[in-house]
Amino acid sequence: STQSTPKCCSARIAYSRRLMALAPDKAAFEASLLRELRRAIKVEIEEKLFSGSGSSNQPLGIYNTTGVGSKTFSAALPTHAELVDQIELLADANGDLTAARFLIHTSDLAGLLKQQITSGGGETTVTYDAGNYRIAGVPVLATTAATQGKILLADMSAITLLFYGPPQLIADMFSNGKSAIGQTELIVQNYVDSMITDRNLAVVGSA
């Protein structure tokens, strides 16, 4: 069984009345503020999906979840064979390889793109095929939210990012004397949690 409780992920941005007055396109200015808030929220949620502590209003990240599969690498950058071992662990747990994805840090992606499977052989550990980066045919997703040196392979159908309703947008123009100084603060709040329905279907590899 799995349990979930909402965690609040919030971002805020402030601007002055003068800045709004000087903006030539008010709609475009507001849209740019909301884009920045969305970007900040996205980065925070992605980071906590991987490495959240499970306390202090953070979801429990996949890296810190007990019971997930593990693979020990001989070096910080794994070999092609070690990554295939991760695929074997997932397959042995009856994971759906068609729904499987490697989730890695962008720097690890760059390293694996340069790493040859066999010295002098030409073929690299990560290849590009049919619109995706792949390792042994399994698609690879790269993000700076992942921890460098940790390679996650997961059947994505077992991972749920749960949102408790739509985001809430608050425009605060009055608290703490904002009306006197002409400041507006936009606050976005998301209530979110992450869950793994079958911990055997996530394998974390690291040195």
Side-chain angles (χ1 to χ4, degrees):
S1 63
T2 59
Q3 292 183 329
S4 172
T5 56
K7 283 82 176 178
C8 181
C9 183
S10 179
R12 61 186 66 209
I13 192 169
Y15 61 91
S16 67
R17 193 159 47 214
R18 175 177 293 182
L19 182 60
M20 172 61 87
L22 292 174
D25 186 333
K26 303 296 189 292
F29 176 71
E30 291 179 352
S32 69
L33 295 174
L34 292 176
R35 278 196 303 271
E36 179 59 23
L37 287 171
R38 282 195 295 266
R39 185 201 63 79
I41 288 281
K42 174 179 177 289
V43 169
E44 189 68 15
I45 289 176
E46 280 192 357
E47 288 179 350
K48 297 306 181 286
L49 174 65
F50 287 103
S51 56
S53 65
S55 60
S56 303
N57 202 40
Q58 296 181 15
L60 180 61
I62 299 171
Y63 296 152
N64 297 321
T65 300
T66 58
V68 299
S70 64
K71 168 64 184 177
T72 301
F73 300 147
S74 58
L77 193 68
T79 65
H80 183 268
E82 288 171 334
L83 295 169
V84 172
D85 287 344
Q86 279 189 268
I87 297 175
E88 181 181 7
L89 289 171
L90 185 64
D92 287 345
N94 296 315
D96 181 359
L97 294 185
T98 64
R101 300 292 185 272
F102 280 101
L103 292 94
I104 68 177
H105 191 275
T106 50
S107 294
D108 290 326
L109 173 64
L112 294 172
L113 280 166
K114 292 182 284 188
Q115 177 181 267
Q116 294 185 348
I117 296 175
T118 303
S119 180
E123 185 178 1
T124 56
T125 300
V126 171
T127 59
Y128 189 79
D129 178 58
N132 288 293
Y133 290 108
R134 297 178 184 271
I135 296 172
V138 176
V140 177
L141 304 175
T143 172
T144 56
T147 298
Q148 189 172 354
K150 287 184 181 288
I151 307 293
L152 169 64
L153 174 65
D155 178 340
M156 300 305 291
S157 65
I159 297 175
T160 299
L161 187 59
L162 179 64
F163 289 90
Y164 286 81
Q168 301 174 15
L169 175 63
I170 302 168
D172 179 10
M173 297 177 285
F174 303 105
S175 70
N176 299 319
K178 290 185 177 69
S179 59
I181 61 176
Q183 185 183 78
T184 297
E185 189 172 41
L186 297 180
I187 305 164
V188 172
Q189 293 179 332
N190 282 266
Y191 288 88
V192 62
D193 199 10
S194 61
M195 299 180 295
I196 305 176
T197 56
D198 187 343
R199 298 181 181 188
N200 294 313
L201 301 186
V203 182
V204 178
S206 62

